[in-house]
Amino acid sequence: TQLLEQSPQFLSIQEGENLTVYCNSSSVFSSLQWYRQEPGEGPVLLVTVVTGGEVKKLKRLTFQFGDARKDSSLHITAAQPGDTGLYLCAVSNSGYALNFGKGTSLLVTP
Amino acid sequence: ETGVTQTPRHLVMGMTNKKSLKCEQHLGHNAMYWYKQSAKKPLELMFVYNFKEQTENNSVPSRFSPECPNSSHLFLHLHTLQPEDSALYLCASSQGSSGEPGADTQYFGPGTRLTVL
């Protein structure tokens, strides 16, 4: 059983469109992280959400942590080709390492 | 540039070869990690080192052997691999045990793309 379920698995949109991707679980987490991985590179941290209901904005990206701290969403406004990549959510286990979802692969075409 | 470098970036090896992957971090971190990223699978944790001590070995086959000579360097020694071991191997580092477990931000290297023939 996958700890984190991400949806959709793939998303192809045109420049200027809005989109939302989701990260869901049946477990409660103290924090959740979102990463973006571009082709040929490792994941890069975008944001960490900690408080239930928390909303964080990073330019055109809006991250929300569910009230029950079991799920999170990432909304991108007016997507650009530079947003193309694999979006990963991750939570920590009892140690220092992370458990990742399978990710949402986003393609934004001009 | 995240401050974590990995070499080589690409590696092709036969099943009888022995090779090593190298990771170096320039961030002054105390914890280092190896992850495996395969197609259609989530990133899988392989090993964790905290202050040069291995703290997690996530049921990884013995054909993968990690080495952490100091807190800045991490190696993954490969021996008699199988084709299904072909994947992107990612190294990461974080501040480590001085803070609350799980609260660390991890910084990833660009990965080594490994192909086993």
Side-chain angles (χ1 to χ4, degrees):
Chain A
T1 302
Q2 187 65 28
L3 179 65
L4 295 172
E5 296 287 344
Q6 290 194 245
S7 61
Q9 190 175 354
F10 300 101
L11 190 56
S12 180
I13 61 171
Q14 291 200 311
E15 183 175 4
E17 293 184 27
N18 302 331
L19 67 117
T20 302
V21 299
Y22 301 91
C23 177
N24 296 301
S25 178
S26 57
S27 301
V28 177
F29 303 109
S30 58
S31 65
L32 184 146
Q33 298 181 334
W34 283 95
Y35 287 79
R36 179 169 65 211
Q37 185 177 17
E38 298 184 11
E41 300 296 330
V44 176
L45 180 69
L46 296 174
V47 77
T48 301
V49 286
V50 178
T51 307
E54 180 178 7
V55 176
K56 281 192 174 179
K57 291 195 173 186
L58 186 65
K59 297 183 180 179
R60 294 175 293 99
L61 278 60
T62 302
F63 303 85
Q64 184 161 10
F65 202 13
D67 291 340
R69 304 203 319 276
K70 293 182 178 181
D71 52 77
S72 182
S73 63
L74 158 59
H75 181 79
I76 301 179
T77 303
Q80 298 178 0
D83 296 325
T84 292
L86 180 67
Y87 288 82
L88 298 159
C89 63
V91 294
S92 60
N93 57 16
S94 57
Y96 298 94
L98 296 171
N99 285 304
F100 285 85
K102 290 185 180 181
T104 293
S105 182
L106 173 66
L107 174 65
V108 183
T109 54
Chain B
E1 181 62 47
T2 62
V4 180
T5 58
Q6 290 188 243
T7 54
R9 293 294 306 272
H10 301 272
L11 179 62
V12 179
M13 58 187 289
M15 289 190 285
T16 58
N17 291 158
K18 288 184 182 181
K19 296 286 184 183
S20 295
L21 310 185
K22 179 182 176 182
C23 175
E24 183 174 0
Q25 57 96 0
H26 311 275
L27 301 168
H29 288 162
N30 300 306
M32 296 187 77
Y33 312 79
W34 281 116
Y35 288 89
K36 176 184 178 183
Q37 188 174 33
S38 306
K40 300 182 181 179
K41 286 187 176 181
L43 272 158
E44 301 171 64
L45 176 67
M46 300 176 74
F47 301 104
V48 181
Y49 279 82
N50 197 27
F51 287 93
K52 300 188 295 178
E53 297 296 321
Q54 188 179 126
T55 57
E56 286 193 46
N57 175 342
N58 216 24
S59 302
V60 180
S62 59
R63 57 185 184 270
F64 295 91
S65 173
E67 179 189 0
C68 188
N70 54 63
S71 57
S72 299
H73 293 86
L74 185 65
F75 296 88
L76 187 63
H77 303 299
L78 314 173
H79 177 51
T80 59
L81 295 192
Q82 304 298 311
E84 60 264 29
D85 296 322
S86 298
L88 181 68
Y89 288 85
L90 289 160
C91 172
S93 72
S94 70
Q95 189 59 44
S97 66
S98 57
E100 177 185 336
D104 270 352
T105 294
Q106 294 193 9
Y107 295 82
F108 285 83
T112 295
R113 173 67 62 186
L114 174 67
T115 302
V116 182
L117 302 177

